[in-house]
């Protein structure tokens, strides 16, 4: 990882830590660098941890996303 990549990742993790406790799947996908559609596919397959809020609405816990990105929550 280059110094620029490390700084970008650190900045993203700092943004996540100071943000809301949950994110939309689209927001989480952006942090992971994948498309919104692929983020929903990951959620369906259980590769992206989600909290189900009804039959259609899902949210991604910020702490779980930070863990996926390789940082401590």
């Amino acid at each position: 990882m280059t110094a620029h990549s490390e700084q970008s990742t650190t900045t993203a993790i700092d943004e996540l830590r100071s943000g809301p406790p949950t994110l939309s799947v689209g927001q989480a996908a952006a942090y992971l660098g994948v498309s919104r559609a692929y983020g929903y596919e990951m959620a369906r397959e259980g590769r992206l941890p989600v909290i189900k809020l009804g039959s259609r609405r899902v949210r991604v816990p910020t702490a779980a996303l930070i863990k996926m990105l390789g940082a401590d929550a």
Side-chain angles (χ1 to χ4, degrees), residues 6-64:
E6 288 176 18
Q7 182 157 356
S8 296
T9 302
T10 303
T11 302
I13 291 170
D14 289 342
E15 286 176 16
L16 284 170
R17 284 189 176 128
S18 64
T22 64
L23 301 167
S24 69
V25 173
Q27 290 169 316
Y31 278 106
L32 292 171
V34 299
S35 71
R36 181 177 174 269
Y38 190 65
Y40 276 100
E41 182 179 324
M42 290 175 68
R44 269 192 311 280
E45 294 174 351
R47 295 184 291 136
L48 181 62
V50 296
I51 299 169
K52 293 184 179 189
L53 304 171
S55 62
R56 296 178 51 94
R57 188 169 167 93
V58 294
R59 299 291 288 179
V60 178
T62 302

